[in-house]
Amino acid sequence: MPAMMQIDPNIQGGVPVIKGTRVPVARVMALKAMNYTLAEIKKEIPNLGKLTQKDLREFFEYYAQR
């Protein structure tokens, strides 16, 4: 599992979220799929300051293997 991903049944019912937030990984991936840049994603969801391009790649790789 990517380092920036967290799965906790007490946070969003166990949906994978960005670690330290309540933002679902699926929301970030959906924005990226709509061709949002990392800067645009961070503007849309301001509390993702630590998110990097590497994190986004790891999310896609994680889900591609599932």
Side-chain angles (χ1 to χ4, degrees), residues 1 4 13 23 29 33 38-40 47-48 50 55-56 65:
M1 180 167 51
M4 284 296 288
V23 178
M29 292 178 64
L38 180 57
E40 291 170 329
N47 58 341
L48 297 182
K50 295 181 181 180
D55 296 324
L56 294 176
Q65 295 173 3

Side-chain angles (χ1 to χ4, degrees), residues 4-8 11-33 41 44-45 47-48 51 55-56 59-60 62-63:
M4 284 296 288
M5 184 184 293
Q6 177 180 7
I7 299 174
D8 182 335
I11 301 172
Q12 297 285 21
V15 171
V17 297
I18 306 298
K19 188 176 278 185
T21 74
R22 297 180 63 78
V23 178
V25 171
R27 181 172 178 207
V28 174
M29 292 178 64
L31 291 173
K32 188 65 178 163
I41 292 171
E44 182 78 19
I45 311 169
N47 58 341
L48 297 182
L51 193 69
D55 296 324
L56 294 176
F59 294 154
F60 279 104
Y62 177 79
Y63 282 105

